[in-house]
Amino acid sequence: MSTATPTPSPTAVDAAVTAITVVIVSYNTREQTVACLDSLAADAAGAPGLAVSAVVVDNGSVDGSVAALRARHPWVEVIDAGTNLGFAAGVNRGVARAPGEYVLLLNPDTTVLPGALTALVEFAVAHPEHGLYGGRTLAADGSLEPSSCWGAPTLWSLLCFASGLSTAFARSRLFDPESLGWWPRDTVREVPVITGCLLLARRADWDRLGGMDERYFLYGEDADFSLRASAAGLRPVIVPAATIVHTVGGSTSESGRERNGRKMSMVMAGKATLLRLRWSAGRAAAGIALLKTGTLVRALLERALGRAEGTWSEVWRRRSDWSAGYPAAKDRLFGQAPVQPLRGQRGGMVVEAEPAFRTAHANPYTARLYRSMSALGVTVRDLSYWRLATAHVDVVHLHWPELTFLSAHRPWRVRARLVLFFGALRLARLRGTRVVWTVHNVVDHEQRSTPALRARLRRLLVANVDGILSLSANGVEAARASYPELAGRPAFVTPHGHYRADYDFSVPRAEARARLGLSEGDLVAASVGQLRPYKNVPHLLEVFRALDVDARLAIAGRPSSDDERERITRAAAGDPRVLLDLTFQPAARVVDWLRASDLVVLPYRAIENSGSAILALSANRPVLVPRIGAMGELAELVGGGWVRTYEGEFDESVLADALAWARDEPREEVADLSALEWEAIADSTLAAYRAVLRRPETT
C-alpha cells in the first residue's frame, strides 16, 4: 500500500511555493530507502510552503529495491541505472531529472525529522549568498553524529593524522582540525565541507558548478563539490534546525573487518583523489605519503594491542589499491581488474587541458572525454599557469583558445593572459611539454577582442602547436587551409562523442510534450540551446513563417545578446505556431524539448562541428543540417535516416521536405551511435598524444 503523495509537483503549484527535488542514490538498501521516503513524505505533508518531488537513482541493486520503491512510493521517480554508477554519477543522473528550484541530496540511510525540509529551505531562501546548505545529523540513539560537515584537508591536518595526534586528541581544534572540534552543530556556522548525506543547493548554482565530479566513485565527491563552491564565491553553511537521523555507512553492507577495512579504504581513496585533483603534484604526493604514514601508525598500534586483524591493518594492506585514487581505486576496491597507468615520457602521463572539467555544466564534451581518459590511467587537470610553469606536464590540450585568451573585455587582460600562458609554456617546453590543439572551428564565431590581439594569438599559437586534432577529416583539411603554418604538424581525427551518459533521455515523448504544453498530434520542429548569430535562428523563423504547414516551431534557449533576442522576437511576432522560450534551459528542460520534437533544425551559416546535432541524436531525434564542415561525415557515420543534409541556401522547400521526412521516414527507435563511443575516442586521443610526444619539439 503506497504512502500518501506529498505536496504537488512543482509544475502544479503557484509561484509562492518553493519547489524542491530530493535526490537519493540507493544501492541494495531497499528497506532503508523505503523508510527514508516514508519520513520524507511525512515531513513534506506538513510543509505547505514546499512543493516536494523526489528522484531515486538505483545503482543496480539486486535486493528488489526498484520494485519495492515504485510500489510503496509511486509519487517518486525511480531511475533504474542497471549498474553501479557510483555516488557522483548517480547524483548527477538524478539531478538531471530534478524539476525543483532547489535540489537536496539525501542518503538512503537517513530519517527526515519533522520540520527539517522547511527549516533548510526557508534559511536558503532568506540567505541565498551561502549557496550550499547542510543540517544537523543524529545517530539512531539521538546523540550527535558529527559527519554532516568537515574541515578541509591541509598539510597540517594530514601531519596530525600521520603522527596519530588526531586520534590521541580527537575533536581537538588544533590537532584534529578536520573534525571542526567539539562544536555540536547546534549553531549556524559556515563550514568548508558539507557532506552528501544532507546537502541543499539552488539548481542554478548546481548547474553553474557543474554538479558532482564523476571521477570520484564513493567518498570525496561532496568535499570536492563544497570546495569548488567556495572557490566560486559561495559560503557553505550548516542550519541546525534541519535535523535528520543518519545511520552512517548504510550503503556498504558487509560486516566486520572486511566491511570496515573496505569502507575506510574507499574513504582514503576519496581523500587521495581530492588531493590529486585539487593540490599541486608535489603537495599531493606529500599529502598521500602522510595518509599512508597515518595508516601504518594505526596498523602498528592495532598489532601492539593484539588486534592484528583490525580495520587499519586491512587499510594498510590495501594501500596500493587506494593511494592511486579514483578511477583506479574503484576497480581495485570493487574486485575488478586494476587499471595499469599508461606511461608518457616520464612517469604517468599528465595532461593540462583548457578546458577539462570546469565547463561541464555548460557543455559536457570535454569533461566526458577526460573522464574516459582518466579511466585509462591518464592524469588530466584543468589548465593552471602555475603548474605549467613549475610541475611536470606531458601535454597541454587546447580546445577554444579564442574563448580562453580573448574573451576579456579589457585589452590589458587579454595581454596578461597571453603573457602568463605562453610564458609558462616556454618554461614547460624546457621539460618536454607538447601542445595539442583541437580545432573545433577555424574561425571564432564571436570574433573576440581586437584584430591586433587576434593576430598576436594566432602567431603565438601556430608557433607552439605540436599537433592538431579535429572532429572530422573535413575539419583537418579546413584547419590546414586556414593555418598553412601547421602544414607540417601531425593531424588526427577524434570524433565528437555522444551525450547519452550525461543526460537522462528516458522521458517519454508524451510526458515531455505535456510538460511543455504541446499536443500529442503536433508536428514539432525545434532549435534548442544558446542562440548565437551563426545558428541563423531569425532566418529559420522567417522560412518557417513563409510555409503554409500544420506544424509548430519551438525556439528554446538564451540569446547571446540583446540584439539577437530582438531579432528573434521580431522574426517570430504574430505567428501562433511559433513557441519561444528565450531563457536559460537547464539540462532536464533541454531533454524535454528534444524528446518532444519530431525534428531538430540547425540551419548554420558556417561551422565545422555541431555539439547540438550530437545532442539531438543522443536523444534519438533526427536533425536537419547544412552539408558543411563535419555534417556530411556525421550523416555517413549515423545514417541518412537520422541526419538530413542540404546544399546551398536554407529555404521553404528544404524545411518542408525535412518536416515530411521527419514525419514519414521509417527509422529505429534508437539511433546507432556506436561510432561515437567515448572509450574509443579516448583511445584515439591518447594515441595522438603519444605520437606527438615521440616527435621532435616544434621550432
Side-chain angles (χ1 to χ4, degrees):
M1 183 175 182
S2 66
T3 61
T5 303
T7 44
S9 70
T11 57
V13 297
D14 60 51
V17 175
T18 303
I20 173 176
T21 301
V22 179
V23 176
I24 298 172
V25 177
S26 66
Y27 179 64
N28 291 327
T29 54
R30 181 183 61 192
E31 300 306 322
Q32 289 175 309
T33 309
V34 167
C36 174
L37 289 170
D38 287 346
S39 70
L40 175 64
D43 191 32
L50 300 180
V52 181
S53 57
V55 179
V56 174
V57 179
D58 187 81
N59 271 348
S61 296
V62 294
D63 63 351
S65 287
V66 171
L69 294 173
R70 287 173 175 166
R72 174 76 171 174
H73 292 285
W75 63 278
V76 174
E77 180 177 359
V78 180
I79 298 173
D80 184 0
T83 188
N84 194 346
L85 302 174
F87 183 73
V91 163
N92 288 345
R93 179 74 63 86
V95 172
R97 294 299 308 151
E101 177 187 358
Y102 289 86
V103 291
L104 174 66
L105 308 189
L106 191 64
N107 269 21
D109 53 355
T110 59
T111 301
V112 180
L113 297 184
L117 295 178
T118 298
L120 195 59
V121 174
E122 284 185 350
F123 186 93
V125 171
H127 302 279
E129 68 276 8
H130 291 288
L132 265 61
Y133 309 85
R136 190 169 189 258
T137 54
L138 304 177
D141 61 3
S143 61
L144 176 70
E145 206 298 298
S147 64
S148 65
C149 55
W150 297 102
T154 63
L155 283 175
W156 170 248
S157 72
L158 296 179
L159 180 61
C160 291
F161 174 79
S163 63
L165 288 171
S166 61
T167 298
F169 299 96
R171 309 286 293 276
S172 163
R173 293 181 63 182
L174 178 60
F175 297 119
D176 188 17
E178 290 183 40
S179 72
L180 301 179
W182 287 99
W183 169 50
R185 279 62 170 167
D186 60 350
T187 56
V188 173
R189 180 183 293 190
E190 294 180 12
V191 295
V193 173
I194 295 175
T195 57
C197 70
L198 181 70
L199 187 155
L200 179 78
R202 182 177 284 102
R203 177 61 187 273
D205 288 328
W206 179 279
D207 290 339
R208 180 162 64 95
L209 294 170
M212 292 282 182
D213 189 332
E214 294 181 18
R215 287 174 289 182
Y216 296 84
F217 189 75
L218 185 61
Y219 301 114
E221 60 285 291
D222 45 10
D224 179 276
F225 185 73
S226 296
L227 295 176
R228 283 190 284 123
S230 296
L234 301 179
R235 294 152 45 196
V237 65
I238 290 297
V239 183
T243 305
I244 64 171
V245 175
H246 183 204
T247 307
V248 178
S251 295
T252 49
S253 55
E254 300 147 310
S255 60
R257 175 198 180 203
E258 181 183 3
R259 173 193 184 277
N260 295 333
R262 184 164 172 260
K263 176 189 171 183
M264 186 54 67
S265 294
M266 289 188 285
V267 171
M268 299 296 277
K271 286 181 176 287
T273 308
L274 185 72
L275 301 185
R276 290 182 183 277
L277 295 181
R278 298 201 60 83
W279 288 10
S280 67
R283 193 165 173 241
I288 292 170
L290 291 172
L291 288 176
K292 288 182 178 178
T293 301
T295 301
L296 176 60
V297 166
R298 286 158 179 77
L300 292 174
L301 182 60
E302 285 179 340
R303 185 175 293 275
L305 295 175
R307 299 200 299 266
E309 299 301 309
T311 296
W312 288 104
S313 297
E314 178 71 7
V315 177
W316 173 250
R317 185 182 70 81
R318 290 175 175 253
R319 64 191 180 278
S320 63
D321 295 339
W322 56 257
S323 60
Y326 293 119
K330 169 200 165 184
D331 299 321
R332 293 165 178 170
L333 294 173
F334 280 78
Q336 301 172 15
V339 172
Q340 298 298 325
L342 298 165
R343 311 303 279 182
Q345 289 184 312
R346 301 173 295 279
M349 186 178 288
V350 177
V351 177
E352 294 269 325
E354 175 53 29
F357 304 99
R358 64 178 179 81
T359 57
H361 65 287
N363 182 351
Y365 163 74
T366 57
R368 181 56 57 191
L369 169 64
Y370 295 124
R371 284 172 187 145
S372 298
M373 297 197 73
S374 296
L376 296 175
V378 180
T379 298
V380 186
R381 299 176 296 209
D382 281 284
L383 177 66
S384 160
Y385 298 162
W386 173 253
R387 283 198 302 265
L388 185 59
T390 61
H392 168 65
V393 175
D394 288 295
V395 174
V396 172
H397 191 165
L398 300 175
H399 285 274
W400 296 277
E402 299 90 352
L403 181 62
T404 297
F405 301 113
L406 302 181
S407 58
H409 293 297
R410 299 182 182 277
W412 70 266
R413 290 183 182 273
V414 173
R415 295 188 186 95
R417 289 177 183 177
L418 294 175
V419 169
L420 287 171
F421 171 69
F422 286 101
L425 180 62
R426 190 167 189 175
L427 294 174
R429 281 197 167 283
L430 298 176
R431 299 187 298 274
T433 299
R434 300 291 185 265
V435 177
V436 169
W437 175 23
T438 294
V439 187
H440 293 272
N441 294 292
V442 294
V443 177
D444 178 23
H445 293 309
E446 311 298 333
Q447 287 293 290
R448 295 171 175 84
S449 196
T450 65
L453 287 173
R454 291 200 298 270
R456 184 177 180 186
L457 172 61
R458 177 187 176 112
R459 290 194 301 272
L460 291 169
L461 190 62
V462 298
N464 285 279
V465 167
D466 298 284
I468 58 174
L469 278 67
S470 180
L471 307 187
S472 68
N474 181 281
V476 170
E477 296 175 6
R480 285 181 163 160
S482 296
Y483 298 89
E485 305 96 324
L486 301 179
R489 317 287 164 80
F492 312 86
V493 175
T494 54
H496 191 310
H498 61 70
Y499 288 111
R500 284 177 173 163
D502 300 288
Y503 297 84
D504 180 10
F505 293 115
S506 64
V507 58
R509 177 176 182 267
E511 182 181 328
R513 290 197 167 200
R515 280 200 285 262
L516 298 172
L518 293 166
S519 299
E520 180 60 27
D522 287 343
L523 177 62
V524 179
S527 181
V528 184
Q530 188 176 27
L531 305 177
R532 296 179 175 176
Y534 75 91
K535 294 187 176 181
N536 214 11
V537 172
H539 183 59
L540 165 60
L541 285 161
E542 292 167 1
V543 169
F544 177 79
R545 291 187 62 187
L547 280 180
D548 182 14
V549 62
D550 185 14
R552 303 291 303 275
L553 175 62
I555 307 297
R558 184 165 56 196
S560 59
S561 67
D562 291 339
D563 287 344
E564 186 68 6
R565 179 185 297 273
E566 173 61 25
R567 283 191 289 268
I568 292 171
T569 303
R570 188 168 56 247
D575 193 330
R577 300 173 302 165
V578 174
L579 183 60
L580 294 185
D581 185 359
L582 304 185
T583 61
F584 170 75
Q585 304 292 308
R589 187 80 168 176
V590 169
V591 168
D592 281 344
W593 284 116
L594 292 174
R595 294 293 297 162
S597 67
D598 296 293
L599 174 69
V600 175
V601 185
L602 302 168
Y604 298 117
R605 290 175 178 168
I607 56 146
E608 293 302 322
N609 308 286
S610 173
S612 295
I614 302 293
L615 181 62
L617 294 168
S618 301
N620 301 309
R621 287 297 175 260
V623 297
L624 173 66
V625 289
R627 196 173 185 82
I628 58 176
M631 297 302 94
E633 292 175 52
L634 180 63
E636 293 169 6
L637 284 174
V638 182
W642 290 98
V643 180
R644 185 179 181 89
T645 62
Y646 63 90
E647 305 275 1
E649 184 66 20
F650 177 74
D651 57 21
E652 290 90 335
S653 63
V654 169
L655 182 55
D657 290 346
L659 286 168
W661 166 80
R663 182 190 59 215
D664 301 331
E665 178 79 9
R667 57 179 61 86
E668 299 292 332
E669 290 188 5
V670 178
D672 180 5
L673 303 185
S674 56
L676 307 180
E677 293 292 348
W678 283 109
E679 292 78 5
I681 295 168
D683 278 334
S684 299
T685 305
L686 183 59
Y689 290 167
R690 286 171 163 164
V692 169
L693 287 168
R694 287 194 295 266
R695 288 175 56 87
E697 181 180 352
T698 297
T699 56

